Amino acid sequence: MSASLIAALVWVFASVGVAMLPIRRQFLLGGVLLFAAPCLLVWIGLDHNWWAAGLGLLAFVSMFRNPLIYLYHRANGRKPELPK
């Protein structure tokens, strides 16, 4: 198994671990994982093939759909509510 796939596996387990935290404690660690994912996907694409990176992108969007929707709304000037 290549280093990029091992890093992706560690990223998945870290994401699952962060998802189990209370919502207020997820912001910092989840943000780090959110911004690390594109670098990891490019690395996978360079090591293997772009279809593998595309599958990783689908998994990433599936796992981080709510933060991505929030960032989309913020980019369009809306102010979505945060959970309490």
Side-chain angles (χ1 to χ4, degrees), residues 69-81:
I69 290 169
Y70 174 81
L71 291 174
Y72 174 76
H73 288 301
R74 289 288 298 204
N76 286 330
R78 300 183 198 147
K79 292 192 177 188
E81 290 185 27

Side-chain angles (χ1 to χ4, degrees), residues 21-66:
L21 294 173
I23 191 74
R24 290 292 178 186
R25 294 189 180 203
Q26 291 180 6
F27 286 112
L28 178 63
L29 297 173
V32 171
L33 290 169
L34 181 69
F35 291 113
C39 299
L40 185 58
L41 290 172
V42 169
W43 188 17
I44 291 171
L46 292 173
D47 275 359
H48 296 281
N49 205 339
W50 291 108
W51 64 266
L55 290 175
L57 180 65
L58 290 175
F60 166 70
V61 171
S62 172
M63 289 177 72
F64 281 84
R65 66 184 169 273
N66 288 333

